[in-house]
Protein backbone atom coordinates (compact mmCIF):
# COMPACT_ATOMS: atom_id res chain seq x y z
CA UNK A 1 0.00 0.00 0.00
CA UNK A 2 1.21 3.45 -0.85
CA UNK A 3 2.25 5.55 2.16
CA UNK A 4 0.63 8.97 1.75
CA UNK A 5 3.29 10.53 4.01
CA UNK A 6 6.23 9.23 2.00
CA UNK A 7 7.90 12.13 0.12
CA UNK A 8 8.11 9.90 -2.99
CA UNK A 9 4.31 9.42 -3.15
CA UNK A 10 3.51 12.43 -5.42
CA UNK A 11 6.07 11.19 -7.94
CA UNK A 12 4.74 7.64 -7.90
CA UNK A 13 1.24 9.03 -8.50
CA UNK A 14 2.53 11.20 -11.36
CA UNK A 15 4.29 8.22 -12.94
CA UNK A 16 1.09 6.19 -12.63
CA UNK A 17 -0.88 8.88 -14.43
CA UNK A 18 1.60 9.04 -17.32
CA UNK A 19 1.81 5.25 -17.60
CA UNK A 20 -1.98 4.94 -17.64
CA UNK A 21 -2.23 7.55 -20.40
CA UNK A 22 0.27 5.63 -22.51
CA UNK A 23 -1.53 2.34 -21.88
CA UNK A 24 -4.88 3.78 -22.94
CA UNK A 25 -3.29 5.12 -26.11
CA UNK A 26 -1.64 1.86 -27.15
CA UNK A 27 -4.83 -0.09 -26.44
CA UNK A 28 -6.70 2.39 -28.61
CA UNK A 29 -4.00 2.26 -31.26
CA UNK A 30 -4.35 -1.52 -31.64
CA UNK A 31 -7.65 -1.11 -33.50
CA UNK A 32 -7.10 2.18 -35.35
CA UNK A 33 -6.39 2.89 -38.99
CA UNK A 34 -2.77 3.59 -39.95
CA UNK A 35 -2.98 7.40 -39.98
CA UNK A 36 -4.77 7.46 -36.63
CA UNK A 37 -2.15 5.10 -35.15
CA UNK A 38 0.66 7.47 -36.07
CA UNK A 39 -1.22 10.43 -34.57
CA UNK A 40 -1.95 8.50 -31.37
CA UNK A 41 1.73 7.51 -31.15
CA UNK A 42 2.82 11.14 -31.45
CA UNK A 43 0.42 11.94 -28.62
CA UNK A 44 2.46 9.75 -26.25
CA UNK A 45 5.77 11.60 -26.76
CA UNK A 46 5.11 14.14 -23.99
CA UNK A 47 4.18 11.34 -21.59
CA UNK A 48 7.45 9.53 -22.27
CA UNK A 49 9.37 12.79 -21.79
CA UNK A 50 7.64 13.34 -18.44
CA UNK A 51 8.43 9.78 -17.32
CA UNK A 52 12.08 10.21 -18.31
CA UNK A 53 12.21 13.45 -16.31
CA UNK A 54 10.67 11.71 -13.29
CA UNK A 55 13.18 8.89 -13.59
CA UNK A 56 16.11 11.27 -13.87
CA UNK A 57 15.09 13.69 -11.12
CA UNK A 58 12.95 11.69 -8.69
CA UNK A 59 13.81 8.00 -9.14
CA UNK A 60 17.61 8.15 -9.01
CA UNK A 61 18.09 7.94 -12.77
CA UNK A 62 17.42 4.20 -12.63
CA UNK A 63 19.02 2.36 -15.57
CA UNK A 64 16.29 -0.30 -15.47
CA UNK A 65 13.50 2.30 -15.69
CA UNK A 66 15.34 4.07 -18.53
CA UNK A 67 15.74 0.79 -20.42
CA UNK A 68 12.07 -0.13 -19.91
CA UNK A 69 10.94 3.32 -21.09
CA UNK A 70 13.10 2.99 -24.20
CA UNK A 71 11.68 -0.48 -24.86
CA UNK A 72 8.11 0.71 -24.36
CA UNK A 73 8.55 3.73 -26.61
CA UNK A 74 10.06 1.52 -29.33
CA UNK A 75 7.15 -0.91 -28.98
CA UNK A 76 4.57 1.91 -29.17
CA UNK A 77 6.30 3.25 -32.29
CA UNK A 78 6.39 -0.23 -33.82
CA UNK A 79 2.68 -0.69 -33.06
CA UNK A 80 1.94 2.59 -34.80
CA UNK A 81 3.50 1.28 -38.01
CA UNK A 82 1.80 -2.12 -38.16
CA UNK A 83 0.53 -2.88 -41.63
CA UNK A 84 -3.22 -2.74 -41.96
CA UNK A 85 -4.35 -5.89 -43.77
CA UNK A 86 -7.94 -4.82 -44.19
CA UNK A 87 -9.67 -1.46 -44.32
CA UNK A 88 -10.04 -0.23 -40.76
CA UNK A 89 -13.58 0.38 -39.73
CA UNK A 90 -14.60 3.82 -38.53
CA UNK A 91 -16.50 2.09 -35.75
CA UNK A 92 -15.24 2.84 -32.29
CA UNK A 93 -15.20 -0.83 -31.39
CA UNK A 94 -14.16 -3.01 -34.35
CA UNK A 95 -14.72 -6.71 -33.84
CA UNK A 96 -11.46 -7.68 -35.57
CA UNK A 97 -8.00 -6.14 -35.47
CA UNK A 98 -7.26 -4.25 -38.70
CA UNK A 99 -3.60 -5.36 -38.51
CA UNK A 100 -3.69 -9.07 -37.69
CA UNK A 101 -7.37 -9.95 -38.05
CA UNK A 102 -7.65 -11.38 -34.53
CA UNK A 103 -10.98 -10.95 -32.80
CA UNK A 104 -10.74 -7.95 -30.48
CA UNK A 105 -11.60 -8.21 -26.81
CA UNK A 106 -13.13 -5.88 -24.30
CA UNK A 107 -12.64 -6.37 -20.62
CA UNK A 108 -15.10 -4.86 -18.11
CA UNK A 109 -12.62 -2.24 -16.87
CA UNK A 110 -11.46 -1.11 -20.34
CA UNK A 111 -13.12 1.65 -22.35
CA UNK A 112 -12.92 -0.01 -25.78
CA UNK A 113 -12.05 -3.17 -27.60
CA UNK A 114 -8.44 -3.93 -28.43
CA UNK A 115 -6.27 -6.61 -29.97
CA UNK A 116 -4.64 -8.74 -27.28
CA UNK A 117 -1.83 -10.16 -29.49
CA UNK A 118 -0.89 -6.71 -30.84
CA UNK A 119 -0.51 -5.26 -27.33
CA UNK A 120 1.03 -8.29 -25.60
CA UNK A 121 4.59 -6.92 -25.61
CA UNK A 122 3.41 -3.46 -24.55
CA UNK A 123 1.42 -4.91 -21.64
CA UNK A 124 4.44 -6.90 -20.47
CA UNK A 125 6.66 -3.79 -20.49
CA UNK A 126 3.91 -1.78 -18.80
CA UNK A 127 3.70 -4.40 -16.04
CA UNK A 128 7.49 -4.13 -15.51
CA UNK A 129 7.32 -0.32 -15.34
CA UNK A 130 4.64 -0.56 -12.66
CA UNK A 131 6.65 -3.04 -10.61
CA UNK A 132 8.58 -2.24 -7.48
CA UNK A 133 11.97 -3.74 -8.34
CA UNK A 134 12.60 -2.42 -11.84
CA UNK A 135 9.90 0.20 -12.27
CA UNK A 136 8.22 3.18 -10.68
CA UNK A 137 6.42 1.22 -7.95
CA UNK A 138 2.96 2.29 -9.07
CA UNK A 139 1.63 -1.16 -8.25
CA UNK A 140 1.40 0.13 -4.68
CA UNK A 141 -1.56 2.33 -5.60
Amino acid sequence: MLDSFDPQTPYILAASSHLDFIKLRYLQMSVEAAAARRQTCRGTEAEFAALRWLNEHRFGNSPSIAALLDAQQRAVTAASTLAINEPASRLREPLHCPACGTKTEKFPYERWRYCVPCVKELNEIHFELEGSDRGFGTWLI
Side-chain angles (χ1 to χ4, degrees), residues 67-141:
L68 287 168
L69 286 172
D70 289 344
Q72 188 174 42
Q73 191 161 23
R74 280 192 307 275
V76 168
T77 301
S80 75
T81 61
L82 286 174
I84 303 299
N85 297 323
E86 61 184 65
S89 169
R90 294 252 178 219
L91 295 174
R92 187 173 169 108
E93 297 187 3
L95 298 178
H96 292 89
C97 175
C100 70
T102 302
K103 185 175 179 181
T104 59
E105 294 188 32
K106 182 175 183 178
F107 294 100
Y109 54 86
E110 300 295 349
R111 293 175 50 192
W112 49 72
R113 303 180 79 79
Y114 61 95
C115 179
V116 173
C118 286
V119 299
K120 183 177 187 287
E121 178 185 1
L122 286 158
N123 274 336
E124 290 170 358
I125 297 168
H126 184 86
F127 180 75
E128 288 289 321
L129 279 165
E130 288 183 325
S132 62
D133 296 343
R134 296 185 58 204
F136 289 105
T138 59
W139 66 275
L140 294 166
I141 298 173

Side-chain angles (χ1 to χ4, degrees), residues 14-29:
S16 176
S17 175
H18 295 297
L19 288 170
D20 286 348
F21 181 90
I22 291 168
K23 181 177 183 177
L24 286 174
R25 292 303 169 256
Y26 72 68
L27 291 178
Q28 175 186 358
M29 196 169 31

Side-chain angles (χ1 to χ4, degrees), residues 43-59:
T44 63
E45 291 171 2
E47 304 302 317
F48 280 111
L51 287 167
R52 284 189 174 84
W53 185 92
L54 282 168
N55 180 40
E56 184 178 332
H57 297 283
R58 301 294 184 238
F59 287 87

